[in-house]
Amino acid sequence: MGEQSFFDKMMINLRSTCKYYTGHPKDLGPSKVIHFTSEREFVHLLHQGHPVVVAFTIKSNYTKHLDKVLEEAAAEFYPQIKFMRVECPKYIGFCMTRQKKDYPFIEMFHSPQEASNQGRAVDPNVTKYAVKVLPYNYDVSAYGFREFFKRHNIRSFNHE
């Protein structure tokens, strides 16, 4: 087969670099959204040093849309930002600690640091940490996440 034409090369480049919908289905590859299984796993993920966007969900029609958006955003911002989904009916205790009544909602956790006041620790092997939490109140889309990260100076991409 001969060499590709300039037009073919340009279209291949456009499809590979375009961040917006072009009419072609997006190949996101395997899911990058992490499903919550325990607080211990969540803490371990935070200690990896990347911001973690957490969607607290319940079963609803809107959750199906949210899942698609999370998949797209997770693929776009991986590995600099992690995305996690918590099914609140399964993990009631973890969701209740957020003290919210309207589901689904999204929050971003970042910058874990050892707490300056350890309080009265029953077990000397337990260390308390302070984590910054930002409520997400932008458009639920990959574009909305991009704007949210810009607004809060969260580096969401590699400079190559």
Side-chain angles (χ1 to χ4, degrees), residues 62-119:
Y62 183 69
T63 302
K64 292 175 187 173
H65 166 71
L66 182 60
D67 286 343
K68 289 177 186 174
V69 170
L70 287 175
E71 289 292 344
E72 185 178 333
E76 181 173 337
F77 300 113
Y78 183 83
Q80 293 78 16
I81 299 172
K82 309 292 185 185
F83 285 77
M84 177 177 270
R85 181 173 182 262
V86 181
E87 294 179 42
C88 288
K90 281 186 183 177
Y91 303 101
I92 296 169
F94 185 69
C95 292
M96 288 183 72
T97 62
R98 304 309 316 142
Q99 299 178 347
K100 299 267 185 163
K101 291 188 167 98
D102 297 327
Y103 290 90
F105 66 93
I106 301 171
E107 292 181 329
M108 185 178 74
F109 297 77
H110 67 99
S111 306
Q113 297 175 346
E114 195 169 318
S116 57
N117 180 7
Q118 290 295 317

Side-chain angles (χ1 to χ4, degrees), residues 5-16:
S5 71
F6 173 75
F7 179 75
D8 290 337
K9 289 178 185 176
M10 185 177 73
M11 289 306 294
I12 289 169
N13 184 48
L14 178 65
R15 286 186 188 127
S16 68

